[in-house]
Amino acid sequence: MTQELAGKSAVVAAGAKNLGGLISTHLAARGANVLVHYNSDASEPDADKTVAAVEAAGSKAAKFQADLTVPANIVELFDAAVAAFGSVDIAVNTVGKVLRKPITETTEADYDSMFAINAKAAYFFLQEAGKRLEDGGRVVTIVTALLAAFTDGYSTYAGSKSPVEHFTRAAAKEFGERLITVNSIAPGPMDTPFFYPQETPERVEFHKSQGLGGRLTRIEDIAPLVDFLVTDGGWVTGQTIFANGGYTTR
Ligand SMILES: NC(=O)c1ccc[n+]([C@@H]2O[C@H](COP(=O)([O-])OP(=O)(O)OC[C@H]3O[C@@H](n4cnc5c(N)ncnc54)[C@H](OP(=O)(O)O)[C@@H]3O)[C@@H](O)[C@H]2O)c1
């Protein structure tokens, strides 16, 4: 593997497991040091495994636990990366929460939680990346292919991910002065434990039928796009890139 990110450092929010875990190890395989963020105590063993995998690839790693709906915690996250590695060049945010519920049943608490995790945390993560990244840095946020869907049930999920597109556009313009690129990636329904609880077996089959080859998106379909954006993809900025085997388009 080419060490094209040798000497660079990354913060991966929700970088311990599933998609974020794979992104952490991909960045390490290309030579980057990685600060592996995790949220719940239950994710700590995943964070430990990912830190070990990053170190096994020859890079430096550290773990950091935080609820990123609190902006002060995002400041501490970047502080921790600077303390561990000296500087930060790459910031990837894979934090998310899903809910499938009719609008008429959605509570204020549901709404507040969804927007705190999917929109507020994403906004303040971008803000801190804009303050802390080195010139020429790269920022990626994970959104959802539902941003191009016309469907029921996901009002607060798609609704709270969709502002990230506009945050991304503004950040790309504002941080572009320092040649920092900012993009979002929109995966299709992805084969991780995040996807299944709110779906029925019949709906899972339908989602599969809508993707190339009759399958769901895999985390292995998405991590290479992050690799591209943080290496050779410097001419791509302000975009939402849909990667979903043709599930939705616009
Ligand atoms: N799986 C899919 O079908 C699918 C499709 C399209 C897009 N996505 C998006 O892809 C991203 C990764 O999802 P995944 O499938 O890999 O599942 P995942 O591992 O469950 O990712 C969600 C992550 O968000 C973290 N998180 C939740 N609340 C948080 C908070 N308050 N502060 C900080 N972190 C918090 C979770 O940490 P804890 O578990 O420790 O709380 C978890 O690591 C998400 O943004 C998701 O919206 C997923």
Side-chain angles (χ1 to χ4, degrees):
M1 181 73 60
T2 324
Q3 296 286 292
E4 52 213 318
L5 297 177
K8 306 277 186 196
S9 296
V11 170
V12 183
K17 62 186 184 183
N18 301 320
L19 178 58
L22 188 65
I23 290 169
S24 294
T25 56
H26 267 233
L27 296 177
R30 283 150 188 80
N33 303 317
V34 184
L35 187 79
V36 177
H37 159 265
Y38 66 103
N39 176 48
S40 64
D41 291 343
S43 297
E44 188 167 16
D46 296 298
D48 289 333
K49 273 187 221 150
T50 302
V51 163
V54 170
E55 289 172 344
S59 294
K60 288 188 205 160
K63 65 180 177 180
F64 186 85
Q65 181 176 22
D67 173 356
L68 298 186
T69 64
V70 179
N73 292 345
I74 299 178
V75 175
E76 287 182 13
L77 172 73
F78 281 83
D79 285 345
V82 172
F85 313 131
S87 58
V88 189
D89 306 281
I90 297 163
V92 182
N93 175 18
T94 77
V95 168
K97 180 179 177 183
V98 67
L99 178 69
R100 181 164 188 273
K101 216 180 207 191
I103 292 172
T104 51
E105 294 172 20
T106 299
T107 65
E108 184 179 0
D110 289 333
Y111 181 96
D112 286 346
S113 172
M114 292 300 287
F115 275 77
I117 292 170
N118 292 322
K120 183 180 177 185
Y123 186 89
F124 286 97
F125 185 87
L126 282 176
Q127 180 184 76
E128 205 54 29
K131 291 180 182 174
R132 309 295 284 273
L133 258 55
E134 296 294 306
D135 290 0
R138 306 292 169 90
V139 190
V140 179
T141 313
I142 304 299
V143 291
T144 167
L146 288 172
L147 297 193
F150 182 18
T151 190
D152 63 302
Y154 285 114
S155 61
T156 59
Y157 181 55
S160 60
K161 287 281 193 181
S162 70
V164 177
E165 283 207 275
H166 295 281
F167 302 161
T168 295
R169 289 176 179 137
K173 284 285 185 199
E174 294 175 23
F175 309 164
E177 288 172 2
R178 297 201 291 116
L179 299 181
I180 294 171
T181 69
V182 188
N183 292 287
S184 298
I185 296 175
M190 197 160 58
D191 188 7
T192 74
F194 182 94
F195 167 66
Y196 293 96
Q198 62 284 343
E199 295 289 348
T200 61
E202 296 73 27
R203 286 181 55 91
V204 171
E205 288 312 307
F206 173 75
H207 290 307
K208 284 184 180 171
S209 75
Q210 298 302 295
L212 277 179
R215 67 168 177 84
L216 298 174
T217 298
R218 296 179 185 136
I219 58 175
E220 293 80 4
D221 298 317
I222 305 302
L225 258 178
V226 177
D227 296 340
F228 173 71
L229 290 173
V230 305
T231 55
D232 293 334
W235 197 236
V236 180
T237 195
Q239 307 301 316
T240 303
I241 300 170
F242 284 76
N244 58 32
Y247 173 79
T248 59
T249 185
R250 63 178 189 191

